[in-house]
């Protein structure tokens, strides 16, 4: 069955270029086009597409308002393609992600060839067609922990209230928090990090799969929305409490001998930065004294690293299916038995706080 998409774009030439590019892609069909958000919403109701491609700067109803309305009334995976989401436009990028869009793709700048985005369109549409979306007027998840079926290969995942350490928890003086995510990660990182106080007593090391050129925007956006500091890790520097660190563009991040190291080693599971790369170093460096989380994302990066961390005796968490935009990475982590707990997104931050406060 073909993936059915609609295009909302007011520029006729660009709309035609999208059609030309998409018509070369197998298993994807365009079921309608619109020139503004109002028409686009009517088309959404009439065609019930699998994926929506939408511009931001349009007459009558712009892409921001369309995204807000669509996600409140008829949620579908939305890919924003606009000249207003270049890497320097972090305000627009993360505003539209907060409204519920799943991903963004910058239009080629003036004089660029719009047809060159065909391959990227194909990749992003394939991801978006399997995404489960939620109404933004409602909470995406409950505040309870998902109950896990018992299975010999699924470890000892437990059920517990998010405000208290789980039954059987051995109190530890955790030294670091490590978190990894991919598709849907910017929203997930915001949801978790904004719950942590400015005097949070541990450093937090993070990996987010993100398009080249957007890491700076992500760090800047999170800095404006969180009480803790958010910044790039620096080569040779020691991680400090109350700071969330991300690697710079196209660099792996690891910790050795108590300090950060960044490099451009080969891709790991198709990614640089890689969550597994970071987690392997955390397992080796901190043994049983790390607290690690795998959140929403496509693929399996981070799952094996999380298992290695759990095998060292550290505490591990994966995000649940109902609150994940893409239940790939956390699903594999759970299936590998890497997750001590599976938590809804809104429960992860409170759980981290509870575990850290419960130290001996």
């Amino acid at each position: 069955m073909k993936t059915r998409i609609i295009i909302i774009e007011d520029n006729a030439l660009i709309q035609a270029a999208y059609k030309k590019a998409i018509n070369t892609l197998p298993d994807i069909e365009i079921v309608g086009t619109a020139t503004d958000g109002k028409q686009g919403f009517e088309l959404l109701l009439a065609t019930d597409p699998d994926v929506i491609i939408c511009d931001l700067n349009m007459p009558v109803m712009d892409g921001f308002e369309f995204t807000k309305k669509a996600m409140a009334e008829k949620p579908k995976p939305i890919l924003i393609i606009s000249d207003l989401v270049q890497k320097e436009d972090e305000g627009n990028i993360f505003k539209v992600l907060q409204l519920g869009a799943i991903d963004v793709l910058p239009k080629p700048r003036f004089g660029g060839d719009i047809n060159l985005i065909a391959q990227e369109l194909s990749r992003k549409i394939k991801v978006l067609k399997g995404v489960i979306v939620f109404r933004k007027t409602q909470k995406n998840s409950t505040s309870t922990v998902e109950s896990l079926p018992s299975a010999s290969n699924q470890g000892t995942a437990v059920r517990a209230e998010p405000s208290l350490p789980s039954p059987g928890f051995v109190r530890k003086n955790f030294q670091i928090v490590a978190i990894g995510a991919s598709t849907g990660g910017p929203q997930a990182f915001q949801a978790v990090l904004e719950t942590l106080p400015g005097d949070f007593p541990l450093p937090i090391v993070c990996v987010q799969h993100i398009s080249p050129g957007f890491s700076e925007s992500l760090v800047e956006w999170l800095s404006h929305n969180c009480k803790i500091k958010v910044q790039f890790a620096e080569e040779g520097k020691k991680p400090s409490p109350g700071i969330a660190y991300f690697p710079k563009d196209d660099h792996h991040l690891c910790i050795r001998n108590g300090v950060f190291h960044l490099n451009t080693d080969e891709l790991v599971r198709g990614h640089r930065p890689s969550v597994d790369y970071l987690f392997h170093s955390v397992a080796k460096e901190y043994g049983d004294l790390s607290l690690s989380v795998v959140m929403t994302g496509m693929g399996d990066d981070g799952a094996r690293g999380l298992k290695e961390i759990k095998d060292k005796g550290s505490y591990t968490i994966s995000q649940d299916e109902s609150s994940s935009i893409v239940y790939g990475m956390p699903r594999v982590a759970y299936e590998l038995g890497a997750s001590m707990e599976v938590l809804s997104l809104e429960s992860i931050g409170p759980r981290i706080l509870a575990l850290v406060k419960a130290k001996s």
Side-chain angles (χ1 to χ4, degrees), residues 1 7 17 27 43 63 95 243 263:
M1 182 179 295
I7 299 171
D27 303 322
L43 187 62
K95 178 182 177 181
I243 302 177
N263 61 64

Side-chain angles (χ1 to χ4, degrees), residues 41 44 73 100 115-116 120 192 236-238 295 319 358 360:
F41 187 74
L44 165 62
E73 301 182 35
N115 295 299
L116 294 179
E120 187 71 358
V192 172
K237 293 294 183 68
K238 183 178 179 180
M295 301 194 298
Q319 188 177 345
S360 57

Side-chain angles (χ1 to χ4, degrees), residues 56-57 62-64 67 80 82-99 101 103-104 214 217 221:
L56 286 181
N57 188 13
D62 65 19
F64 295 107
T67 300
I80 297 294
S82 175
D83 53 9
L84 298 181
V85 292
Q86 305 295 338
K87 65 180 181 180
E88 65 270 19
D89 297 317
E90 69 270 6
N92 290 333
I93 293 167
F94 297 106
K95 178 182 177 181
V96 78
L97 290 176
Q98 282 182 306
L99 290 173
D103 206 349
V104 299
F214 286 95
S217 298
W221 178 68

Side-chain angles (χ1 to χ4, degrees), residues 41-344:
F41 187 74
E42 293 169 354
L43 187 62
L44 165 62
L45 297 179
T47 62
D48 192 31
D50 299 307
V51 175
I52 300 168
I53 292 174
C54 186
D55 190 16
L56 286 181
N57 188 13
M58 298 181 293
V60 186
M61 179 188 291
D62 65 19
F64 295 107
E65 188 61 30
F66 168 81
T67 300
K68 181 179 179 180
K69 185 174 178 64
M71 295 308 295
E73 301 182 35
K74 183 73 171 178
K76 293 288 181 179
I78 298 174
L79 170 63
I80 297 294
I81 308 181
S82 175
D83 53 9
L84 298 181
V85 292
Q86 305 295 338
K87 65 180 181 180
E88 65 270 19
D89 297 317
E90 69 270 6
N92 290 333
I93 293 167
F94 297 106
K95 178 182 177 181
V96 78
L97 290 176
Q98 282 182 306
L99 290 173
I102 303 303
D103 206 349
V104 299
L105 180 61
K107 286 181 183 175
R109 293 185 183 276
F110 181 77
D113 187 354
I114 195 74
N115 295 299
L116 294 179
I117 67 172
Q119 186 175 0
E120 187 71 358
L121 263 177
S122 176
R123 187 182 69 83
K124 288 184 180 291
I125 290 171
K126 286 177 182 177
V127 173
L128 266 62
K129 71 178 181 180
V131 168
I132 299 172
V133 293
F134 309 89
R135 295 184 189 276
K136 291 295 286 184
T137 51
Q138 302 173 357
K139 288 189 176 181
N140 289 357
S141 57
T142 63
S143 60
T144 57
V145 180
E146 182 179 343
S147 179
L148 300 179
S150 60
S152 59
N153 68 333
Q154 291 169 344
T156 55
V158 298
R159 180 185 181 88
E161 294 303 317
S163 60
L164 298 170
S166 57
F169 167 63
V170 177
R171 296 175 184 271
K172 295 180 179 180
N173 292 311
F174 291 110
Q175 295 181 0
I176 199 163
V177 176
I179 308 176
S182 185
T183 309
Q187 303 95 312
F189 270 113
Q190 184 198 5
V192 172
L193 296 181
E194 70 181 2
T195 67
L196 304 181
D199 61 353
F200 186 71
L202 299 179
I204 306 164
V205 288
C206 310
V207 165
Q208 164 67 46
H209 299 161
I210 199 163
S211 299
F214 286 95
S215 294
E216 188 172 343
S217 298
L218 173 66
V219 167
E220 182 73 16
W221 178 68
L222 289 172
S223 296
H224 289 313
N225 286 281
C226 300
K227 301 180 188 70
I228 63 171
K229 294 180 180 178
V230 184
Q231 63 187 55
F232 287 118
E234 296 183 47
E235 177 69 25
K237 293 294 183 68
K238 183 178 179 180
S240 298
I243 302 177
Y245 296 94
F246 286 81
K248 61 183 180 179
D249 263 351
D250 198 32
H251 280 70
H252 289 306
L253 172 64
C254 69
I255 303 173
R256 288 197 309 271
N257 300 320
V259 299
F260 290 125
H261 293 282
L262 296 106
N263 61 64
T264 54
D265 288 352
E266 291 184 2
L267 304 182
V268 175
R269 305 193 185 285
H271 299 287
R272 189 173 58 225
S274 159
V275 183
D276 270 334
Y277 196 97
L278 172 64
F279 281 7
H280 289 320
S281 75
V282 168
K284 186 174 182 179
E285 185 76 12
Y286 295 95
D288 65 346
L289 298 179
S290 69
L291 200 171
S292 303
V293 185
V294 167
M295 301 194 298
T296 176
M298 184 178 69
D300 62 358
D301 187 32
R304 289 165 182 79
L306 195 72
K307 181 66 163 59
E308 185 177 344
I309 287 170
K310 179 174 177 285
D311 289 345
K312 290 282 188 176
S314 280
Y315 208 93
T316 58
I317 296 168
S318 60
Q319 188 177 345
D320 71 2
E321 182 174 8
S322 66
S323 67
S324 295
I325 287 178
V326 178
Y327 191 54
M329 289 160 52
R331 176 187 60 79
V332 177
Y334 165 56
E335 291 175 347
L336 286 176
S339 312
M340 291 184 69
E341 285 191 301
V342 174
L343 294 174
S344 64

Side-chain angles (χ1 to χ4, degrees), residues 339-360:
S339 312
M340 291 184 69
E341 285 191 301
V342 174
L343 294 174
S344 64
L345 179 59
E346 67 177 22
S347 298
I348 293 174
R351 167 61 85 229
I352 290 172
L353 280 173
L355 291 168
V356 170
K357 288 179 180 178
K359 67 182 181 179
S360 57

